[in-house]
Amino acid sequence: HFHSFMQDVHRRIHELKQADLRDKGRSFSIDVSIENNPIRRVALDLSKEVSLLCFDEFQVTDIADALILRQLFEVLFAHGTVMVATSNRPPCDLYEGGLNRSYFLPFID
């Protein structure tokens, strides 16, 4: 299921952030370079592990998931990963009425 996948993504992001904190310490400057973006790093790892993702009951209701999905799948798709999903909602209705939905929309386009 999609929710299990997102739990794994959140866990991986958290582990990367914890490793960065452990290795580099706390910093008051934020590194926004694309190379150190934890979502991108997780996506690169996933793209090496899978070439096809299949989701049953695909639904987005959480703002954190919505914002992660765009960045995550931008990298996955660029590296040839294919996604197949079923849902009770048409793609245009995913995350309907959600906060900052405009950031999510490129994912469903």
Side-chain angles (χ1 to χ4, degrees), residues 13-28:
I13 291 169
H14 178 73
E15 287 173 358
L16 281 175
K17 288 181 175 183
Q18 291 301 307
D20 286 348
L21 181 61
R22 194 173 45 253
D23 297 342
K24 299 173 187 170
R26 220 172 265 291
S27 174
F28 291 103

Side-chain angles (χ1 to χ4, degrees), residues 7-72:
Q7 286 175 338
D8 180 55
V9 168
H10 283 281
R11 179 189 56 77
R12 290 174 185 234
I13 291 169
H14 178 73
E15 287 173 358
L16 281 175
K17 288 181 175 183
Q18 291 301 307
D20 286 348
L21 181 61
R22 194 173 45 253
D23 297 342
K24 299 173 187 170
R26 220 172 265 291
S27 174
F28 291 103
S29 63
I30 298 173
D31 182 356
V32 294
S33 65
I34 193 71
E35 296 82 23
N36 289 320
N37 179 315
I39 298 170
R40 180 181 182 277
R41 290 162 53 197
V42 167
L44 288 171
D45 288 344
L46 283 169
S47 71
K48 294 172 189 168
E49 296 170 21
V50 299
S51 58
L52 174 65
L53 288 168
C54 299
F55 298 117
D56 186 28
E57 300 178 22
F58 186 84
Q59 185 170 337
V60 181
T61 57
D62 181 81
I63 187 170
D65 289 348
L67 296 176
I68 288 170
L69 283 170
R70 177 183 176 183
Q71 291 183 61
L72 186 76

